[in-house]
Amino acid sequence: MLGVIDLPTYLAGLVLIVLLPGPNSLYVLSVAARRGVRAGYTAAAGVWCGDAVLMTLSAAGVASLLQANAVLFGIVKYAGAGYLTWLAFGMLRAAWGMWRSRTAPAGEQAGEVVADERPYRRALVISLFNPKAILFFVAFFVQFVDPGYAYPALSFVVLGAFAQLASFLYLTALIFSGTRLADAFRRRKRLSAGATSAAGALFLGFAVKLTMASA
C-alpha cells in the first residue's frame, strides 16, 4: 500500500515504541497535571511538531549523516543532554520551593512555579535535541518502505501519519490522566512536591542516558 511493506508489523511495533516512557511524554504529563488540559495539549503540539521535523530529517538522510559523523552526533547529543539537565534542575528547584511553602495556597504555588514556562517551546526543544530519536526514525521507517516504489516520500508520509496518530492518542490519555492527578496535587501539597522531585530525577536520568548513547 503506497510503498509500505508489512503494515500490521509496523503498527504493532509502533504501539510498543509509543508506549515506552520518555522525556516527551513525561513532560506532557507534568504540564497537564500542573496547568490543565489546554496547556497539556500545547506541550503535546510541541512534541508532534518536533516529531514531524525528525521524520522529515530522517527521510532526507540527516540521520545517516549523524550516524557517519561522530563529532556532529556528539554535539547534538551533549546539547540535548544539557537541555534535559537544565529542565531537571528547574523541576527540582520548583519542588524545593513547594516543600518550603507548603502552607501557601495551592493556586499561589502553581502560579509561582509555572510563571515563565512555555510548554510548546520546551516540548519542541526536548524532541529536536534527541539524536537517538532521529536515528530511530530512520532505522525503523526504512524497514517498511519498498525500495522499488517510485514515490518513497509518500511512503514516509503514510508511516509518519500513523506514528502521529498513535502519539496523539497516547498523549491525549496522558493529558486527561494528568488533570486527575492535578486534583490530588492540589489537596496534597507534599504529594505535589514529591511528584515534581521525581520528575526532575527522571529528567536527570534521561540526560545521563543520552550522554551514554552512541551512533
Side-chain angles (χ1 to χ4, degrees):
M1 181 186 73
L2 300 177
V4 176
I5 302 172
D6 200 1
L7 183 59
T9 301
Y10 169 75
L11 295 178
L14 181 63
V15 169
L16 294 175
I17 291 163
V18 168
L19 291 178
L20 288 175
N24 289 347
S25 56
L26 176 62
Y27 181 67
V28 171
L29 177 62
S30 172
V31 169
R34 291 181 286 109
R35 301 184 59 179
V37 171
R38 183 174 179 178
Y41 273 111
T42 300
V47 173
W48 297 325
C49 289
D51 286 349
V53 171
L54 294 184
M55 292 175 198
T56 303
L57 293 176
S58 297
V62 174
S64 298
L65 176 63
L66 278 179
Q67 207 164 16
N69 191 320
V71 174
L72 181 59
F73 182 85
I75 291 172
V76 176
K77 177 176 70 172
Y78 287 112
Y83 186 72
L84 290 178
T85 301
W86 179 75
L87 286 180
F89 279 107
M91 291 181 175
L92 293 174
R93 286 196 305 268
W96 176 246
M98 292 177 187
W99 282 111
R100 295 184 61 186
S101 58
R102 293 192 299 275
T103 57
E108 180 182 335
Q109 290 181 13
E112 292 173 355
V113 171
V114 301
D116 298 325
E117 187 174 18
R118 295 177 175 84
Y120 174 84
R121 188 177 69 180
R122 286 194 176 186
L124 178 64
V125 174
I126 290 172
S127 295
L128 294 178
F129 278 92
N130 190 349
K132 295 304 290 185
I134 301 176
L135 299 179
F136 157 76
F137 277 123
V138 73
F140 188 62
F141 277 21
V142 296
Q143 299 180 47
F144 301 94
V145 176
D146 184 357
Y149 187 63
Y151 307 101
L154 183 57
S155 304
F156 277 98
V157 169
V158 172
L159 294 173
F162 279 114
Q164 293 287 46
L165 176 60
S167 178
F168 172 81
L169 295 175
Y170 178 57
L171 292 182
T172 293
L174 290 183
I175 288 168
F176 283 96
S177 298
T179 56
R180 294 189 181 91
L181 288 174
D183 293 334
F185 290 163
R186 293 188 188 99
R187 292 192 301 267
R188 301 177 179 86
K189 297 173 185 177
R190 290 184 179 181
L191 176 62
S192 179
T196 304
S197 300
L202 284 174
F203 267 79
L204 277 179
F206 290 133
V208 172
K209 183 178 180 181
L210 184 56
T211 61
M212 299 173 64
S214 60

